[in-house]
Amino acid sequence: MTPRRRIDEPGFIAAHRCVGEVGAGRPVILDDGTRKILVAPLDGGVVLSDTLAISTARASFLTLGEAPSFIRLPGADAAALMALASAREAELAGAEITEGGALASAATELAKLAERLPAMTVGHVDAAPEGTLSVDVADVLAFRRTLASTFVPIASAPVPLAAGATANVTAFRNAIGGCVSAVAVGDMVPCTLVRVHSSCVTGDIFGSLKCDCGAQLRLALDRIASDGGVLLYTAQEGRGIGLVNKLRAYALQDAGLDTVDANVALGYHDDERDYAAAAAVLARLGLEEVRLMTNNPAKAAGLESSGIRVTPVPLIGPVTPQNADYLATKRRRSGHRL
């Protein structure tokens, strides 16, 4: 069994700092113990070379295999590399492809953690600017799971809901400032009704008809206000790819891809969400057994793998002309019970 990492360990701190560097578009050094490379985000960073690190999902979409990879496209500029990283169709003539192993995996994981496109240009460490940060690939790959265990309650207050009840809203914060909100009505008892809802700016706030997220949020709040329960609002926009990349996925959908293939084309899995943080918050609330409002078996399985016993409860929103294909894809390709 792998020992649990702590947030005061140098490796965790180094990984956190490198996430910030990548988010700011600056290069970092990755070290796997035998080799070091310089990487920078293609999305917003300096182009280090004509070589890209791409994720397993993007490599699969390009039919290059099922492993993170390095692709060198001799003489490619930023536009050509962006097409290689995210276009529906990419020109691979003359490309040199090698399996990237842990280095490519860590490079694309850093980009995901920074909500950048999971594609990094690769350079030689001799070209690293003075002061460039360095991190071990193992610390990058362990960072997400370590962080999920650090959520603690910070502030709480009663909030009257339009759904007709007063909820106790508690903000949980992790070690680097990320937040999960728990909206609780009534007492916390075994088999409490729970909704784990991933943020959706377009659906929850703008009222987009492209998805059923806003409708599910309102239905869940209505049920919790009536029967008691908890809604966890988590910052996992676009099934965990972030708002910017969700909009990129929308553009690919408009070009003919479904919601699954659009995510994969951008280098993501169909669903990038991790429910370890939600499970940690539920455990903090004393809820180790819940009735989970979801149509998604992967969500139930994610919570159960983190120690929460789950009984699924359907939460069916309206089908509209705008979201019918989206819902059909969720049922057909992601196993949602609709």
Side-chain angles (χ1 to χ4, degrees), residues 34 38 60 66 89 106 122 132 154 171 181 189 208 254 277 281 311 338:
T34 60
L38 185 68
S60 176
E66 298 292 332
E89 296 180 358
V122 180
T132 299
I154 298 297
S181 299
V189 297
S208 168
D254 290 341
V281 171
T311 300
L338 296 169

Side-chain angles (χ1 to χ4, degrees), residues 55-58 112 118 238-239 241 259-260 262-264 266-273:
S55 68
T56 299
R58 181 62 182 174
K112 289 178 181 182
R239 300 201 300 274
I241 71 175
T259 54
V260 170
N263 276 21
V264 173
L266 292 174
Y268 292 96
H269 298 297
D270 166 29
D271 193 333
E272 288 277 339
R273 288 175 292 185

Side-chain angles (χ1 to χ4, degrees), residues 80-277:
L81 291 173
M82 184 59 75
L84 187 60
S86 62
R88 181 178 178 180
E89 296 180 358
E91 179 55 61
L92 292 172
E96 302 167 8
I97 299 143
T98 57
E99 189 169 319
L103 283 166
S105 182
T108 53
E109 173 68 355
L110 266 180
K112 289 178 181 182
L113 288 164
E115 294 194 1
R116 299 283 181 168
L117 190 71
M120 302 273 261
T121 58
V122 180
H124 197 278
V125 291
D126 290 347
E130 185 178 353
T132 299
L133 299 185
S134 178
V135 64
D136 189 283
V137 298
D139 292 319
V140 172
L141 297 175
F143 181 81
R144 192 186 298 266
R145 181 61 53 159
T146 303
L147 184 62
S149 67
T150 66
F151 279 92
V152 293
I154 298 297
S156 184
V159 176
L161 304 178
T166 295
N168 184 63
V169 179
T170 302
F172 288 76
R173 191 164 64 198
N174 68 21
I176 65 171
C179 187
V180 168
S181 299
V183 181
V185 175
D187 297 329
M188 301 297 99
V189 297
C191 295
T192 287
L193 196 62
V194 168
R195 168 69 179 170
V196 176
H197 190 89
S198 303
S199 61
C200 178
V201 168
T202 50
D204 298 346
I205 298 174
F206 300 153
S208 168
L209 300 177
K210 196 173 180 71
C211 64
D212 61 342
C213 302
Q216 285 193 315
L217 176 62
R218 290 184 290 274
L219 285 169
L221 284 170
D222 285 344
R223 255 174 108 173
I224 287 168
S226 171
D227 302 339
V230 176
L231 182 136
L232 296 188
Y233 199 81
T234 67
Q236 299 196 98
E237 182 84 29
R239 300 201 300 274
I241 71 175
L243 178 59
V244 169
N245 289 309
K246 181 171 81 170
L247 296 177
R248 286 174 169 150
Y250 279 179
L252 288 172
Q253 290 169 37
D254 290 341
L257 297 183
D258 66 22
T259 54
V260 170
D261 286 338
N263 276 21
V264 173
L266 292 174
Y268 292 96
H269 298 297
D270 166 29
D271 193 333
E272 288 277 339
R273 288 175 292 185
D274 184 340
Y275 296 104

Side-chain angles (χ1 to χ4, degrees), residues 17 26 29-30 32 112 118 126-127 139 177 198 222 230 255 270 293 295 310 321 330 332 334 336:
R17 289 173 174 169
R26 291 187 287 267
I29 296 169
L30 290 174
D32 72 354
K112 289 178 181 182
D126 290 347
D139 292 319
S198 303
D222 285 344
V230 176
D270 166 29
M293 288 185 279
N295 310 313
V310 172
K330 288 210 294 187
R332 184 180 71 255
S334 301
H336 286 226

